[in-house]
Amino acid sequence: MEPTEKYVSVADKRTGAVESTVALIRKIAKTKGINPSSLEEIRKALAQLGAKRELFPASDFPAPTDGDTTRRYILSENLDQTFTLYMNLVMPGHYSRPHNHTTWATVVAIEGEEVNQFFRRTDDHSISGKATLEFEREVIVQPGIGVALMPDDIHSIANKGSVPTMHLHMYGRSLETLSERIGFDIKNGTYEHFKTPNKSARM
């Protein structure tokens, strides 16, 4: 009788794939620093993980049913809260106003479409609480198409579709540590600091 191969769960396979991807991303950041070119390499590495759709069944990442329009799950995080990878779900109709991150980030899609609009700040930063933005471009993040952001990049996001998104978000530092992020009100020409987000669910 042939020996039976040990059963490996989807969760175990996902853990291994996540660990390998994050190790590669850390290597890229260490050897090349963080710049637009290296972030594109990081985005491609993350996209290879996101292409393994079978590792991310929706049943493992329930969408919110309590009225919230987003839900985050931490897939990997360094002990010092750097190099943090999230599964991010955004419900249909959700919109996040233009904002920065104060750390680098890359986003790729497993399923669903998210409209990302990018803006450039045009004021001289001289008046606290005041800011003007100029629209630059729009990218629809979907399977095969992702985005990479430097710490000062500004974007808004919206789910204009009919299903929740399932996207991988890789951040240089955990969202829960980012206390200096700002959100912009284009109509009124103002900005304000974001509240530190609630803790994410851990896988």
Side-chain angles (χ1 to χ4, degrees), residues 105-180:
T106 57
V107 179
V108 303
I110 295 172
E111 68 177 35
E113 298 182 356
E114 180 183 86
V115 178
N116 280 242
Q117 291 189 333
F118 288 82
F119 301 85
R120 180 174 63 88
R121 190 167 174 177
T122 56
D123 65 288
D124 62 5
H125 300 220
S126 62
I127 304 177
S128 179
K130 299 290 185 180
T132 55
L133 299 182
E134 179 178 274
F135 173 79
E136 286 192 320
R137 62 192 174 99
E138 179 176 291
V139 178
I140 299 178
V141 175
Q142 56 189 296
I145 300 176
V147 293
L149 302 97
M150 292 291 285
D152 291 331
D153 285 346
I154 299 167
H155 76 148
S156 65
I157 63 172
N159 181 350
K160 297 182 179 181
S162 58
V163 298
T165 64
M166 291 183 67
H167 290 183
L168 297 176
H169 288 221
M170 184 82 205
Y171 290 90
R173 290 187 293 125
S174 301
L175 282 171
E176 290 80 4
T177 71
L178 305 181
S179 59
E180 297 301 317

Side-chain angles (χ1 to χ4, degrees), residues 34-119:
I34 295 298
N35 53 65
S37 178
S38 65
L39 277 184
E40 179 59 16
E41 288 191 47
I42 289 172
R43 185 199 64 76
K44 289 179 179 178
L46 192 62
Q48 290 181 351
L49 176 63
K52 298 174 181 177
R53 177 66 186 83
E54 71 280 3
L55 299 182
F56 302 95
S59 58
D60 284 359
F61 303 96
T65 57
D66 55 3
D68 285 349
T69 56
T70 63
R71 179 67 51 83
R72 293 190 312 274
Y73 297 89
I74 294 179
L75 299 177
S76 179
E77 181 183 41
N78 277 10
L79 291 176
D80 61 357
Q81 294 186 288
T82 60
F83 292 95
T84 305
L85 176 61
Y86 299 91
M87 167 67 76
N88 196 57
L89 279 65
V90 174
M91 301 299 287
H94 176 84
Y95 171 76
S96 288
R97 60 181 168 161
H99 58 273
N100 66 1
H101 291 115
T102 68
T103 189
W104 60 266
T106 57
V107 179
V108 303
I110 295 172
E111 68 177 35
E113 298 182 356
E114 180 183 86
V115 178
N116 280 242
Q117 291 189 333
F118 288 82
F119 301 85

